[in-house]
Amino acid sequence: MTTTTPMERLRGLRAVGELAAAYHRVPALLAELLDEAAPADRDALLGRAGRLLAGLDLDEVLHHHPATQMVTVAITGQSTVAGLVDPLTAELARHGLLLRPLIGDHGGWLHDLTDPRGQLLPERPDLSLCLLDAETVFAELPSPWRVEELAEAAERVLERLARLAAEHERLAPGLLVLNTLPLLRRHAGQLVDHASRARLGAVWREFNARLLRLTERHRSLVVLDLDPLTAATGPVEDARLACYAQVRYTAPVLAGYAREVGHLTRSLTGLTRKCLVLDLDNTLWDGVLGEDGPDGIAAADTLRGEAFGAFQRTVRQLASQGVLLAVSSKNDRGPVLETLRSHPDLLLREPDFAEVRADWLPKDGHLADIARQLGIGTDSLVFADDSPGERAQVRFGLPEVAVLPLDGEPALHGERLLADGWFDVLRLTEEDRARPEQYRLEGERHRLREDSGSHADFLHQLGVSVRIGPPEPHEYPRLVQLTQRTNQFNLTGLRLQPGDPAAVAEDAGRLLLAIRAADRFGSNGLVGALLGRHTPDGLLLENAWLSCRVLTRGIEQAVLAALLAESRAAGRPAVHARFTPTAKNHRAELFYPELGFTETARTEDGVLFRHDLECPPEPPPHVHVTLDLGWPTDAWAR
């Protein structure tokens, strides 16, 4: 039997004109390609795959796979940026996304990103990448130059970038992505004395630090720090390409940059992973528990044991920022729990794991159970295992799970875990840090559910309370993140961008409400949101989001019932709503009809409903709702 490589299969699909129709298979092929490739070859192979995919007809892909998320990315910068398209195409394809690139003029980044009638902004890009390099500052200098003149030039560029961030935030709906500027040897080496080189280094680092701090003032700005990236990839530029072709970053740097943008895009499109599922033997500790016994495994005090200990510290660091942990192990459960409770080498203990599955059943079943228990989709899981056989079994049984290939070198476990930024978010919130505790409480709710005679009994004992009102400014990052991470109860697929909550709050004709929930076990935090617009015929609900953690508790029905009752009491003529089907919100398809809404129109954007408010639905009796809409009394008539 002839075995073909993933790249050969991609080429074969393209040769017979079936690559667009097979786009749903591309993420698995690229994952296989990266698994099989030597680390040094991965970026180059992914770039070649990107070249194949970049030639696809986007309309044809969407014809075959209409649910595919297409991401419009404006790419501009100081120098030639076209080399970014192939690796970025591949990085987005790895996650099932489709890149629609818009390429700006060479060196025309300021015009590209601030001219509302230019070629980029009218296309309303989801992301605007402005790839800067050292020439952004050095092009401002006379010849010859002194450090004092460079400091003045850096100040001017920084002011220009600050104005760009503000203007882009005003003109464009998506994020602006800038980057720190690497200082090259050929620049520092032009100064013959070490004192001047030291001043140059200090000025340059101060410039980059102030550039990074612009993100504290502009919610829609991201600045990628290229220092860690270039430290890992090697040379920043090829002097010949930089001189003759104005290409100022090498292919490995562009590949790393594309990967970072891929992580960012994943977080903006609701694809951030939530839970890391770990094997134990030779993944979390050195040795096989069933064969070596507790005394024969190590995560400290030996050469290899120290490497496993370092991996555990990395995992613990992620967990401290809201990443859920779980175990999937082919072992007897009793010895596993005893080891997690008492082994002196371990940093991670039983309470650190939201779920521990240890038995001899197939691991894809473990992962499905873990996802079900946590109330998240299996596409929210990352699975790390040193066994190729177990990884293959999970890939086959649950292809949507991100599989992290570990091997016999534990010193590389941490690097491989972090390479793909599976858990990256735009901004970390207090709810993120509290997530492990939230899921621990979910376990208590689950036990209450099992001990209750019926689901109604469970809800009655749960004592759900809901508070609805405009979000506070400090809640904006959490609210934006919620809309970006919520898929099952996201009724139109809309995801808010960082600047949206403040913009809605300033618009008297619009309405943004935060939904906060609590029960007998404690607060669930900010779990949902409503976005609306006042119209002459009442209120138009543009979207509703609710975290999957609190679905099926009657919260969504209680919120809508309260809103409809309040609208009726305020004399609104009606409440309108829109439902747009996505790949994951089909369970909410009947939400509005079941609350008495009637369909008024069906378009390519979805279904429009209207409720005449003559008979608002009764709220579920087990939910106590506090409502503070904060809308002006005449807002509906604007």
Side-chain angles (χ1 to χ4, degrees):
M1 185 175 69
T2 301
T3 301
T4 58
T5 67
M7 182 61 80
E8 288 170 338
R9 275 174 272 163
L10 281 172
R11 286 176 177 145
L13 287 167
R14 185 192 180 202
V16 298
E18 296 180 359
L19 189 52
Y23 198 75
H24 63 297
R25 293 168 50 195
V26 169
L29 284 170
L30 295 180
E32 189 180 343
L33 180 147
L34 292 176
D35 274 5
E36 293 179 356
D41 299 333
R42 286 174 182 162
D43 286 345
L45 279 171
L46 204 57
R48 287 178 209 148
R51 203 166 306 137
L52 289 177
L53 296 167
L56 284 173
D57 182 328
L58 302 184
D59 291 335
E60 187 180 358
V61 175
L62 293 174
H63 170 73
H64 290 288
H65 308 285
T68 301
Q69 292 191 68
M70 186 168 70
V71 183
T72 300
V73 181
I75 306 174
T76 184
Q78 180 70 28
S79 56
T80 303
V81 296
L84 189 58
V85 173
D86 291 346
L88 188 57
T89 298
E91 287 293 342
L92 297 196
R94 290 180 61 200
H95 311 301
L97 301 170
L98 189 62
L99 173 67
R100 178 184 174 233
L102 308 170
I103 307 298
D105 292 328
H106 178 88
W109 53 274
L110 194 57
H111 174 267
D112 287 338
L113 298 174
T114 57
D115 183 357
R117 290 171 295 183
Q119 59 178 330
L120 301 187
L121 293 188
E123 299 296 324
R124 299 181 64 78
D126 301 295
L127 280 174
S128 295
L129 309 182
C130 183
L131 194 59
L132 305 172
D133 56 64
E135 283 303 306
T136 308
V137 173
F138 276 94
E140 303 262 328
L141 296 182
S143 177
W145 56 274
R146 294 177 297 126
V147 174
E148 291 74 14
E149 291 166 324
L150 181 133
E152 293 171 2
E155 188 68 28
R156 290 195 299 275
V157 170
L158 198 61
E159 290 174 1
R160 200 174 301 148
L161 292 173
R163 288 197 300 273
L164 168 65
E167 191 68 357
H168 188 271
E169 200 164 70
R170 187 178 70 82
L171 295 173
L175 288 183
L176 171 64
V177 181
L178 305 177
N179 58 272
T180 59
L181 313 186
L183 180 63
L184 304 177
R185 176 68 177 81
R186 67 179 170 85
H187 294 131
Q190 294 175 29
L191 301 173
V192 297
D193 69 298
H194 285 277
S196 295
R197 289 180 186 175
R199 288 203 303 278
L200 169 63
V203 168
W204 203 262
R205 283 162 180 77
E206 286 165 4
F207 169 85
N208 278 332
R210 291 173 64 191
L211 178 58
L212 288 163
R213 290 197 183 99
L214 286 180
T215 59
E216 298 168 4
R217 290 160 36 198
H218 301 282
R219 293 191 182 93
S220 298
L221 174 66
V222 172
V223 180
L224 297 180
D225 187 354
L226 293 196
D227 279 357
L229 193 153
T230 55
T233 59
V236 170
E237 72 168 19
D238 179 313
R240 290 164 297 183
L241 285 174
C243 181
Y244 299 131
Q246 304 296 302
V247 176
R248 297 206 176 93
Y249 287 113
T250 58
V253 173
L254 289 179
Y257 178 94
R259 185 159 305 124
E260 294 295 327
V261 174
H263 304 167
L264 182 61
T265 308
R266 207 171 49 211
S267 72
L268 294 174
T269 52
L271 299 177
T272 296
R273 306 283 169 155
K274 298 174 181 173
C275 179
L276 173 62
V277 185
L278 293 151
D279 172 46
L280 294 178
D281 295 334
N282 291 320
T283 294
L284 209 58
W285 57 57
D286 189 22
V288 179
L289 180 63
E291 297 175 3
D292 304 322
D295 294 336
I297 66 170
D301 299 332
T302 66
L303 202 58
R304 284 175 57 84
E306 293 290 348
F308 284 97
F311 181 57
Q312 289 200 27
R313 283 193 289 277
T314 301
V315 171
R316 200 180 194 191
Q317 177 68 19
L318 294 180
S320 73
Q321 297 162 87
V323 175
L324 300 173
L325 304 181
V327 165
S328 170
S329 173
K330 290 284 185 69
N331 266 306
D332 292 327
R333 182 175 175 81
V336 163
L337 293 181
E338 182 57 31
T339 300
L340 289 174
R341 289 165 184 162
S342 62
H343 197 287
D345 285 2
L346 300 189
L347 290 171
L348 293 168
R349 297 296 184 182
E350 183 187 0
D352 293 315
F353 297 98
E355 286 293 323
V356 176
R357 298 284 165 165
D359 54 40
W360 301 94
L361 296 173
K363 289 200 172 183
D364 61 338
H366 282 179
L367 269 64
D369 288 343
I370 288 168
R372 190 179 309 114
Q373 191 70 26
L374 297 179
I376 59 179
T378 48
D379 58 359
S380 295
L381 303 179
V382 176
F383 172 60
D385 200 309
D386 68 303
S387 165
E390 299 293 356
R391 296 198 301 266
Q393 197 267 331
V394 168
R395 278 196 195 286
F396 179 78
L398 296 172
E400 67 278 15
V401 171
V403 177
L404 183 65
L406 303 178
D407 58 19
E409 179 47 82
L412 299 178
H413 281 12
E415 184 178 318
R416 288 175 181 163
L417 171 61
L418 301 177
D420 273 308
W422 292 112
F423 308 103
D424 286 6
V425 294
L426 196 57
R427 293 182 191 275
L428 197 67
T429 66
E430 288 305 312
E431 280 81 359
D432 290 324
R433 297 185 190 280
R435 186 172 298 114
E437 174 63 11
Q438 291 286 356
Y439 278 89
R440 187 189 67 76
L441 294 176
E442 282 304 304
E444 295 188 26
R445 294 183 182 97
H446 180 73
R447 283 186 284 278
L448 174 65
R449 185 184 295 114
E450 289 185 333
D451 293 341
S452 301
S454 66
H455 189 62
D457 285 344
F458 162 67
L459 293 176
H460 178 71
Q461 294 183 64
L462 197 56
V464 178
S465 62
V466 175
R467 186 162 55 89
I468 312 164
E472 298 293 335
H474 73 271
E475 294 177 309
Y476 290 170
R478 164 58 185 158
L479 195 143
V480 169
Q481 186 193 75
L482 175 86
T483 70
Q484 291 167 350
R485 296 173 71 116
T486 301
N487 296 307
Q488 296 181 48
F489 199 90
N490 179 342
L491 299 190
T492 67
L494 177 69
R495 304 183 194 282
L496 296 183
Q497 298 301 315
D500 288 342
V504 175
E506 293 173 1
D507 187 341
R510 303 193 71 190
L511 181 72
L512 181 61
L513 299 174
I515 302 169
R516 310 167 188 86
D519 58 35
R520 60 180 280 186
F521 294 104
S523 171
N524 297 114
L526 198 159
V527 297
L530 292 172
L531 178 67
R533 181 183 298 277
H534 300 289
T535 74
D537 195 37
L539 179 68
L540 168 62
L541 282 178
E542 296 174 301
N543 202 15
W545 301 265
L546 192 68
S547 168
C548 59
R549 280 192 296 122
V550 297
L551 284 175
T552 74
R553 295 179 192 171
I555 292 175
E556 58 272 39
Q557 291 84 2
V559 167
L560 255 292
L563 184 66
L564 294 177
E566 183 71 12
S567 297
R568 185 172 188 264
R572 272 75 177 161
V575 172
H576 299 256
R578 174 182 292 123
F579 177 81
T580 302
T582 69
K584 295 186 177 180
N585 69 2
H586 55 89
R587 289 175 56 186
E589 185 178 12
L590 298 178
F591 175 65
Y592 288 124
E594 288 177 348
L595 289 172
F597 283 77
T598 56
E599 182 177 327
T600 57
R602 189 172 286 263
T603 70
E604 61 180 13
D605 293 329
V607 187
L608 290 175
F609 296 97
R610 184 178 188 275
H611 199 295
D612 61 15
L613 302 179
E614 287 187 7
C615 187
E618 291 293 327
H622 65 275
V623 181
H624 175 74
V625 178
T626 302
L627 195 64
D628 174 19
L629 296 180
W631 59 25
T633 54
D634 62 344
W636 64 275
R638 292 173 190 273

